[in-house]
Amino acid sequence: QVQLVKSGGGLVQAGESLRLSCAASGLTFNTYRMAWFRQAPGKEREFVATISRGATNTFYSDSVNGRFTISRDDGKNTVYLHMNSLRPEDTAVYYCAATAGWSTQTGPTDYNYWGQGTQVTVSS
């Protein structure tokens, strides 16, 4: 059984930082591409960032590029999202996801496994 368990999230003020983590089990973690998505109330699920197997490739959405950093620790089967300079528009439920796909993938339908969402709220 594949499990993606997230920690982190919460309420922060604009300009502050937050780190999300997602620990995977039930899969060979180092063979999977990992990603983060988010979904705000009334909006569709939005791509945030992805990182390849071996961490040789990362890619970010324009809205978070330069502020967020995705990383992975294969020894801990964990992917992280470091969020800096947070803005109220970053408020959303954040999800981690995994795929065995080879190339860079930014669509939700490209991912096979999903964790439970965690709420991030940024106050102005």
Side-chain angles (χ1 to χ4, degrees):
Q1 184 177 0
V2 175
Q3 297 286 332
L4 301 177
V5 180
K6 295 191 296 294
S7 61
L11 175 64
V12 298
Q13 294 179 308
E16 294 184 340
S17 300
L18 194 65
R19 187 184 77 169
L20 305 181
S21 63
C22 177
S25 62
L27 52 77
T28 306
F29 182 81
N30 63 1
T31 69
Y32 278 75
R33 170 178 290 275
M34 303 297 298
W36 290 93
F37 291 80
R38 66 187 183 186
Q39 188 165 20
K43 306 191 73 173
E44 295 182 350
R45 189 163 297 187
E46 175 190 26
F47 168 77
V48 175
T50 186
I51 185 167
S52 69
R53 64 193 71 183
T56 56
N57 165 264
T58 59
F59 183 75
Y60 300 88
S61 69
D62 290 340
S63 62
V64 307
N65 191 36
R67 299 188 298 118
F68 291 10
T69 301
I70 187 171
S71 62
R72 66 191 296 160
D73 185 339
D74 289 348
K76 297 180 179 180
N77 290 353
T78 300
V79 62
Y80 302 93
L81 185 67
H82 299 263
M83 303 182 291
N84 298 316
S85 301
L86 283 162
R87 306 166 180 169
E89 53 263 40
D90 295 319
T91 296
V93 176
Y94 283 72
Y95 301 85
C96 65
T99 180
W102 180 263
S103 61
T104 301
Q105 295 171 305
T106 60
T109 59
D110 296 324
Y111 288 82
N112 308 107
Y113 305 107
W114 291 85
Q116 298 298 311
T118 185
Q119 178 71 46
V120 173
T121 302
V122 184
S123 62
S124 60

